Amino acid sequence: MAASFLSKHKHIILYGVCLALLLFLLKWLELRLIIINHAFEVYIGAIAVIFTALGIWLALKLTKPKVRTVIVEKEVYIQHEGEFTPNERELQQLGLSNRELEVLQLMAAGLSNQEIAGRLFVSLNTIKTHSSRLFEKMDVKRRTQAVEKAKRLRIIP
Amino acid sequence: MAASFLSKHKHIILYGVCLALLLFLLKWLELRLIIINHAFEVYIGAIAVIFTALGIWLALKLTKPKVRTVIVEKEVYIQHEGEFTPNERELQQLGLSNRELEVLQLMAAGLSNQEIAGRLFVSLNTIKTHSSRLFEKMDVKRRTQAVEKAKRLRIIP
DNA sequence: GCAAAAATCATCCTAAAGTATGAAGCCCGT
DNA sequence: ACGGGCTTCATACTTTAGGATGATTTTTGC
């Protein structure tokens, strides 16, 4: 309590002590040397200068340097790597067969019909048939539309 | 010249004038009222306080308030939904022209070449040319590959 | 002003995608 | 047993996409 009071107001206390000491010194000099009338102005000037310096010092101590905090927002994208869950409701709504979904996924991956056929060990004709059925169920006209819609409905990642 | 000198050192000049005035005042009081012995301490105290205040004022005027800037980086997690920002680095890497990017975006939206042409008020031939250039730059063979790659590289949403 | 890049357009041709139609085999529910 | 859906495959045809080549105009950067 008392320590904290001292700590908080140590500058003001120091100021008071200086003032008291100065007054004591002047009183002492007044008694010892009767030269007040002679150098009165000198003393006043010294006092002024000393306490101006004290004031400056106090000002610098009391005024804390302002701290301006600038918050820079750094955007971090949350990756959905590997955490895709198909929208089962939409899947059921569309009524795609497993094979049709497989073809759709490979379409979205950028494979040509012939490549898809090879991947699934069936003929090109089979892929064309599945595509046709797929477009019908999804009410689209071409593969890019199918892929776009499938991603939008979260049927494929 | 003289004006600039005055302007530069106006605080110091003011300080000097105050000091002179104070000395004059005290001298005048000393002559009129012989009460120096009686209230000497009071005067000294007053002088001290006045010039301390002057000092503080001077300090505040002469020293510019220091402002320390602290930069705090705050990570803001952004869900990929809706707030898409293109990957400029990858875009620059690929060197797509603005028109090529436009065509890519409309491809990804499921439009046919003829539809894209209509949308951009150009001919079908122009779209085919842009597509060709686009596939070349992206090192892909067909639109589905272009779209898949563009999404993967976060060039399009 | 000049060169290069971008944008636009064309022609000719090939490849791939998409449509229509049909058929056969398998599986499951009634 | 039968019907419906799924899977597979075929043929013939049309439409769209993609490639190659070339030209002109506009824009951009030095």
Side-chain angles (χ1 to χ4, degrees):
Chain A
M1 184 67 186
S4 101
F5 180 86
L6 278 174
S7 171
K8 269 202 172 184
H9 300 85
K10 70 175 184 183
H11 298 128
I12 296 176
I13 288 164
L14 187 61
Y15 176 79
V17 168
C18 286
L19 188 58
L21 279 175
L22 186 64
L23 288 175
F24 172 79
L25 183 65
L26 287 176
K27 203 72 182 176
W28 184 67
L29 284 176
E30 182 189 348
L31 291 175
R32 298 236 355 159
L33 305 167
I34 327 286
I35 54 176
I36 279 181
N37 277 344
H38 200 72
F40 186 67
E41 291 85 351
V42 173
Y43 282 122
I44 294 294
I47 287 163
V49 167
I50 284 168
F51 278 91
T52 303
L54 252 186
I56 289 168
W57 179 71
L58 256 184
L60 290 178
K61 283 289 172 182
L62 285 176
T63 63
K64 295 179 185 184
K66 292 186 181 181
V67 176
R68 189 165 135 250
T69 305
V70 174
I71 297 177
V72 175
E73 292 188 344
K74 181 182 177 184
E75 297 177 342
V76 176
Y77 285 89
I78 296 176
Q79 291 278 42
H80 273 284
E81 291 287 353
E83 280 293 329
F84 177 80
T85 308
N87 189 334
E88 297 292 347
R89 191 149 163 273
E90 289 293 343
L91 253 180
Q92 208 167 21
Q93 197 93 333
L94 291 170
L96 301 188
S97 70
N98 288 337
R99 209 60 164 172
E100 280 155 12
L101 183 57
E102 272 182 314
V103 169
L104 177 59
Q105 285 164 344
L106 293 172
M107 263 185 200
L111 276 69
S112 68
N113 283 341
Q114 189 62 266
E115 285 167 352
I116 295 170
R119 188 71 72 86
L120 300 180
F121 304 102
V122 292
S123 80
L124 173 60
N125 296 312
T126 301
I127 301 306
K128 285 187 176 183
T129 304
H130 289 318
S131 299
S132 228
R133 292 285 291 157
L134 175 67
F135 295 161
E136 210 174 280
K137 288 176 180 178
M138 294 188 76
D139 189 33
V140 295
K141 288 186 174 64
R142 64 190 72 95
R143 59 184 48 202
T144 49
Q145 279 184 337
V147 171
E148 187 275 323
K149 188 168 185 178
K151 282 183 183 285
R152 187 167 21 100
L153 298 181
R154 308 193 68 82
I155 289 160
I156 60 174
Chain B
M1 182 70 186
S4 106
F5 180 86
L6 277 174
S7 172
K8 269 200 173 189
H9 300 86
K10 71 175 185 182
H11 298 126
I12 295 177
I13 289 162
L14 186 63
Y15 177 80
V17 167
C18 285
L19 190 58
L21 280 176
L22 187 64
L23 287 174
F24 173 78
L25 184 65
L26 286 177
K27 203 73 181 175
W28 184 69
L29 283 177
E30 182 189 348
L31 291 176
R32 296 212 30 129
L33 307 168
I34 324 286
I35 55 173
I36 279 179
N37 277 345
H38 200 74
F40 186 66
E41 292 85 351
V42 173
Y43 281 124
I44 294 293
I47 287 164
V49 168
I50 285 167
F51 279 91
T52 302
L54 252 186
I56 288 168
W57 179 71
L58 258 183
L60 290 177
K61 282 289 173 182
L62 287 176
T63 64
K64 296 186 184 171
K66 291 190 177 183
V67 177
R68 243 178 74 218
T69 303
V70 174
I71 296 179
V72 176
E73 273 198 354
K74 180 185 177 185
E75 292 189 339
V76 176
Y77 292 91
I78 295 186
Q79 204 80 9
H80 184 18
E81 295 279 354
E83 206 59 52
F84 177 80
T85 307
N87 188 333
E88 297 293 345
R89 191 147 166 274
E90 289 293 342
L91 254 179
Q92 209 165 20
Q93 198 91 334
L94 290 170
L96 301 187
S97 71
N98 289 336
R99 209 62 162 168
E100 280 155 10
L101 183 58
E102 272 181 316
V103 168
L104 177 60
Q105 285 164 346
L106 293 171
M107 263 184 201
L111 275 70
S112 69
N113 283 342
Q114 189 60 266
E115 286 167 350
I116 295 170
R119 188 70 72 88
L120 300 181
F121 304 105
V122 292
S123 80
L124 173 60
N125 298 314
T126 301
I127 301 306
K128 287 186 179 185
T129 304
H130 288 319
S131 301
S132 230
R133 292 284 292 156
L134 175 67
F135 296 162
E136 210 174 282
K137 287 175 181 177
M138 292 188 78
D139 189 32
V140 295
K141 291 189 174 58
R142 63 189 72 92
R143 59 183 48 201
T144 49
Q145 280 184 339
V147 171
E148 187 275 323
K149 188 168 183 176
K151 281 179 183 289
R152 187 167 20 100
L153 297 182
R154 309 189 67 84
I155 289 162
I156 59 173

